Amino acid sequence: MQNSEKAFERPFVLNKAASPAKRKRLRKEQIIGYGFIMPSVILLSAFVFFPFFQSIYLSFFMTDPIGNIVAFVGIQNYMDLFTDPEFLNSLKITFLFTIYTVPTGIFIALLLAVLTTSKAKGMKVFQFAFSLPIAMSVGTSSVIWLLLFNPTSGVFNYILNSLGIPSVHWLTDPNWALTSIALMTIWMTLGLNFIILLAGLQGIPKDLYESAKIDGANQIQLFFKITIPLLSPTLFFLLIISVINALQAFGQFNVMTNGGPMNSTNVFVFSLYQEAFVNFQFGLGSTRALILFVIILVLTWLQFKVGEKKVHYQ
């Protein structure tokens, strides 16, 4: 028992009973260890911690167009925010966008991953093709889909017209704009979702399927009794990062609709951008950023609180 405790003894703890040479060596290892993590600490402090605390500080002030503090307003920025109809509308649109994209994107990626895990000839080609969207940036993807959504020369309306269906104003109709960007986002996130789920499927032991088949299980039973339970940690991880990414979506809205038409795609992050970098209200922009942080934090906590109970880690 004593030997096992010594095996797990922390190597960087200086023991007063140790020899001077050993204490010197351990101290040197500590310095080297701190030296390795110091660049990360500096970068995080400069680009994460300092902006975060600066945002908290600015949220209690009014600022001029160049960011200088004008007056202390306390929690007035927060009170104005929650009574602003535009803020509540952007919050509603953001949640709708999340509901449109996250479940659909994960379901399609799961379906494709299951179909391409077979050992049939040519599956590697399909795996490569379904992974391609991960190589596309948000800006490039947005420009490509702008061409596809073009009301006069776009491929989608050409297909609809070929079937005798009238053209759809994808990005200029308030009833279609958010759905159109949701379709583009599902495609854009398909590559990452597919790769993660494919890796999870390939990690499931094949002998479990063989044993279940011997017992008479069909493909549907194999999927719901073996695949889904053993894939639940991967699905849980993918759900969390997908929700966070959807709540932070900005690039496609900025390129494709600029928040329009009639604010139908004015999601939370785009309204934050407009407030801070178009209207130069950095105090209100910081307030929005902190509200978004709290929303993401609460939703992530709820997912761990509720969803993790359904996860099978073994």
Side-chain angles (χ1 to χ4, degrees):
M1 185 66 178
Q2 292 179 353
N3 292 334
S4 62
E5 290 178 354
K6 290 181 179 179
F8 290 98
E9 184 180 359
R10 290 182 296 175
F12 291 151
V13 175
L14 295 178
N15 189 349
K16 294 181 179 180
S19 63
K22 184 177 181 180
R23 293 172 61 185
K24 183 178 180 180
R25 179 176 60 82
L26 292 176
R27 189 175 290 109
K28 183 179 179 181
E29 290 177 354
Q30 282 184 327
I31 295 173
I32 293 174
Y34 289 131
F36 277 120
I37 67 172
M38 192 55 63
S40 298
V41 172
I42 293 173
L43 289 174
L44 287 173
S45 299
F47 297 104
V48 178
F49 300 135
F50 175 75
F52 176 73
F53 290 113
Q54 182 71 4
S55 295
I56 296 176
Y57 177 72
L58 288 176
S59 68
F60 297 105
F61 294 88
M62 292 295 293
T63 59
D64 61 17
I66 61 175
N68 294 324
I69 293 174
V70 175
F72 174 77
V73 294
I75 62 172
Q76 187 63 42
N77 284 336
Y78 294 91
M79 296 175 62
D80 292 343
L81 194 63
F82 283 104
T83 57
D84 183 5
E86 185 271 331
F87 163 74
L88 299 176
N89 179 64
S90 66
L91 203 59
K92 173 187 174 183
I93 293 171
T94 303
F95 282 118
L96 284 175
F97 175 74
T98 303
I99 293 171
Y100 291 166
T101 57
V102 173
T104 308
I106 293 177
F107 174 77
I108 294 175
L110 177 61
L111 179 63
L112 295 177
V114 170
L115 292 175
T116 56
T117 50
S118 66
K119 296 182 179 180
K121 188 177 181 180
M123 286 297 105
K124 295 294 182 182
V125 177
F126 286 103
Q127 290 176 1
F128 173 76
F130 296 146
S131 303
L132 279 178
I134 197 174
M136 307 290 288
S137 67
V138 178
T140 304
S141 301
S142 300
V143 171
I144 292 173
W145 281 76
L146 272 175
L147 298 175
L148 296 176
F149 283 135
N150 190 287
T152 56
S153 59
V155 173
F156 292 151
N157 277 341
Y158 174 78
I159 296 174
L160 292 177
N161 294 335
S162 300
L163 298 174
I165 302 174
S167 297
V168 175
H169 297 280
W170 300 98
L171 299 175
T172 56
D173 186 346
N175 297 320
W176 279 99
L178 186 63
T179 304
S180 301
I181 297 184
L183 290 173
M184 174 265 176
T185 304
I186 291 171
W187 174 85
M188 186 178 66
T189 58
L190 178 64
L192 178 62
N193 294 349
F194 174 77
I195 290 174
I196 293 175
L197 290 172
L198 184 63
L201 287 171
Q202 292 176 344
I204 299 176
K206 303 303 179 185
D207 56 347
L208 294 177
Y209 292 106
E210 295 173 359
S211 300
K213 288 179 181 179
I214 294 174
D215 292 336
N218 55 38
Q219 293 297 326
I220 296 178
Q221 291 173 326
L222 291 175
F223 180 76
F224 286 103
K225 298 297 183 180
I226 296 179
T227 303
I228 293 299
L230 294 181
L231 197 63
S232 57
T234 305
L235 290 170
F236 181 64
F237 166 76
L238 195 58
L239 175 65
I240 290 175
I241 65 170
S242 297
V243 170
I244 293 174
N245 289 335
L247 293 174
Q248 294 179 329
F250 168 75
Q252 57 267 51
F253 293 95
N254 187 40
V255 174
M256 299 179 73
T257 60
N258 202 33
M262 298 174 60
N263 287 330
S264 60
T265 60
N266 188 24
V267 289
F268 197 94
V269 177
F270 187 80
S271 67
L272 187 160
Y273 164 79
Q274 290 280 337
E275 196 70 60
F277 302 106
V278 176
N279 300 331
F280 297 105
Q281 296 293 332
F282 296 105
L284 291 173
S286 298
T287 305
R288 290 175 183 265
L290 290 173
I291 294 298
L292 178 61
F293 169 76
V294 172
I295 291 173
I296 293 175
L297 187 65
V298 171
L299 287 179
T300 304
W301 177 80
L302 286 175
Q303 289 177 88
F304 272 97
K305 191 72 174 178
V306 178
E308 197 172 20
K309 296 179 181 179
K310 306 293 184 181
V311 176
H312 301 272
Y313 289 105
Q314 294 181 351

